Amino acid sequence: MTQDEKYMKRCLDLALLGGSSVSPNPMVGAVIVHEDKIIGEGYTSPYGGPHAEVNAVNDTIQCYGETEANCLFQQSTLYVSLEPCAHFGRTPPCADLIVRLRFKKVVIGCMDIFAKVNGEGIRKLKVAGIDTVVGLLEEECKYINRRFFTRIQQQRPYVILKWAQTQNGKFAPEENEQRWISNNASKQLVHKWRAEEDAILVGTRTALVDNPSLTVRLWKGKHPKRILIDRDLSLPIDSAIFSSDAETIIFNAVKTDWQGHIKYIELENFGLYLPQNILYQLYLMDVQSIIIEGGAKTLQSFIDAKVWDEARIFISPQQWETGIKAPTFEGTICREEKIAQDKLVVYERR
């Protein structure tokens, strides 16, 4: 690994610390290096706050004082995992700050395809005479922001399918009863995932049978937006999914209404392109990622519509004689691991 790659790896590690708190912004890390020594570093603050480059600059100023830091910047290289922004949004352009501080060199992991950036940040740096390198660990930098890039490119959230199945491929009991398949360690991991994504979706049957709250209880973090598909609004209003713990959005064929933390969104031609229409509505609401938790019919509808990106499947050692079959799909295995007695297999759609 080269020195440049080492510093970009550090940018990626920092970027991940932003987690889902930055959404719908991308996760970005920045490192300032002077004579082979890191003198400042930062990552993007929660949405609306300073970006990674600003936090790295402020970190340097805090350590060295403003006068000395301003001198050091002119002899330093800034490493950043994503192209610096070039437009005024909730914060001023980072590219302008870098130019004003006269950094000697900037090394960028990958370009930002957002229309208001998309090469403009790089152009500003080069016009100012800053030595600018683009594409270091490019694929790794793109991968950590796959949610952001999916939302920009496909105008929908990044979709994660999640379910548990028995060793012989059973998904749920045939009767309307709740029966756990995965173990407690797997349940805790699922709550961690919920805290990392913007939203979580279930259908009416799952909400009726399991009465899930879809909140983060076994992990520390924010609750995702809860998304319910309920065509005829048949779910009782005292169901756990309507609790005040988190926002709940109900896609239906009856009404559009807003009652505090509960939002009803009516979809015309409800059964036509349902997964696509739901995802586009969520895109318009700045939802960058979503977990589809079931049941089998709901999961299969997103699979058949080809609007999914990852599938995370827990396989239990249990064997059931009868039961609803697990969804069927085609994907590429990218990871397998043991979660106590369960096996977790993660697929990507190619």
Side-chain angles (χ1 to χ4, degrees):
M1 183 186 298
T2 66
Q3 284 292 92
D4 282 346
E5 288 172 340
K6 182 181 75 173
Y7 295 130
M8 188 58 71
K9 285 279 190 183
R10 178 58 183 166
C11 289
L12 292 172
D13 290 341
L14 289 165
L16 292 171
L17 295 176
S20 60
S21 66
V22 304
S23 178
N25 282 340
M27 296 182 288
V28 183
V31 170
I32 300 171
V33 177
H34 178 262
E35 295 182 351
D36 245 355
K37 176 186 175 183
I38 294 177
I39 60 172
E41 58 183 27
Y43 56 92
T44 300
S45 302
Y47 183 60
H51 291 181
E53 300 93 324
V54 175
N55 287 331
V57 165
N58 289 338
D59 184 43
T60 309
I61 292 172
Q62 186 175 6
C63 290
Y64 294 89
E66 187 168 3
T67 301
E68 184 177 355
N70 285 334
C71 292
L72 289 172
F73 293 144
Q74 298 174 42
Q75 307 163 38
S76 298
T77 299
L78 170 67
Y79 294 83
V80 60
S81 54
L82 185 70
E83 177 183 0
C85 63
H87 64 292
F88 281 90
R90 289 177 176 260
T91 60
C94 292
D96 290 0
L97 173 68
I98 296 166
V99 169
R100 179 168 58 81
L101 295 176
R102 295 187 292 171
F103 275 88
K104 180 180 179 181
K105 183 178 181 180
V106 177
V107 179
I108 298 167
C110 65
M111 288 181 62
D112 184 345
I113 61 172
F114 182 55
K116 292 182 179 179
V117 186
N118 199 21
E120 181 61 19
I122 294 168
R123 188 194 68 80
K124 284 188 174 187
L125 301 182
K126 289 184 174 180
V127 166
I130 297 174
D131 183 10
T132 305
V133 177
V134 184
L136 181 66
L137 300 185
E138 183 175 20
E139 292 307 311
E140 291 92 329
C141 292
K142 287 180 178 178
Y143 185 76
I144 67 162
N145 276 314
R146 57 196 183 279
R147 296 163 179 82
F148 172 75
F149 286 121
T150 296
R151 180 178 176 273
I152 298 299
Q153 290 175 315
Q154 301 189 40
Q155 296 188 324
R156 66 166 176 83
Y158 185 86
V159 176
I160 300 168
L161 310 177
K162 171 263 163 185
W163 72 83
Q165 65 184 57
T166 64
Q167 188 70 44
N168 59 337
K170 303 301 182 184
F171 175 87
E174 292 177 347
E175 305 79 17
N176 287 336
E177 63 172 316
Q178 186 181 49
R179 187 174 174 187
W180 288 107
I181 296 177
S182 56
N183 61 47
N184 289 332
S186 296
K187 293 175 192 174
Q188 185 178 41
L189 179 57
V190 169
H191 282 237
K192 176 179 181 292
W193 291 344
R194 289 178 182 177
E196 294 171 347
E197 310 303 336
D198 288 349
I200 184 169
L201 179 148
V202 295
T204 309
R205 184 179 186 275
T206 298
L208 283 168
V209 175
D210 295 346
N211 193 28
S213 65
L214 302 182
T215 55
V216 177
R217 302 180 306 282
L218 304 178
W219 198 261
K220 184 178 180 180
K222 69 174 181 64
H223 300 308
K225 295 179 188 293
R226 299 173 297 196
I227 315 300
L228 172 65
I229 303 174
D230 188 4
R231 176 175 186 149
D232 301 315
L233 300 182
S234 57
L235 192 68
I237 196 62
D238 61 352
S239 299
I241 198 171
F242 295 125
S243 73
S244 60
D245 297 317
E247 181 181 349
T248 301
I249 300 168
I250 305 99
F251 289 100
N252 66 92
V254 179
K255 67 177 182 179
T256 295
D257 192 18
W258 189 341
Q259 301 176 10
H261 67 284
I262 299 176
K263 298 177 182 178
Y264 295 90
I265 298 179
E266 180 183 358
L267 296 177
E268 295 183 6
N269 302 315
F270 187 86
L272 187 64
Y273 301 112
L274 182 60
Q276 295 93 326
N277 285 334
I278 288 174
L279 293 178
Y280 184 66
Q281 289 295 323
L282 294 175
Y283 159 79
L284 295 176
M285 300 169 73
D286 280 341
V287 173
Q288 189 158 262
S289 62
I290 186 169
I291 301 173
I292 313 296
E293 280 216 356
K297 181 180 177 182
T298 299
L299 285 159
Q300 195 66 56
S301 69
F302 282 83
I303 293 169
D304 293 344
K306 295 181 172 61
V307 284
W308 66 278
D309 301 286
E310 282 184 40
R312 302 175 181 178
I313 304 170
F314 293 101
I315 302 174
S316 164
Q318 296 182 56
Q319 299 267 358
W320 291 2
E321 290 185 6
T322 61
I324 297 171
K325 290 183 179 180
T328 57
F329 68 101
E330 292 183 2
T332 302
I333 295 177
C334 62
R335 186 171 90 247
E336 292 187 28
E337 60 182 287
K338 291 285 289 182
I339 310 295
Q341 293 80 27
D342 294 342
K343 180 169 76 170
L344 170 63
V345 185
V346 180
Y347 295 81
E348 290 181 342
R349 185 172 72 88
R350 297 295 187 183

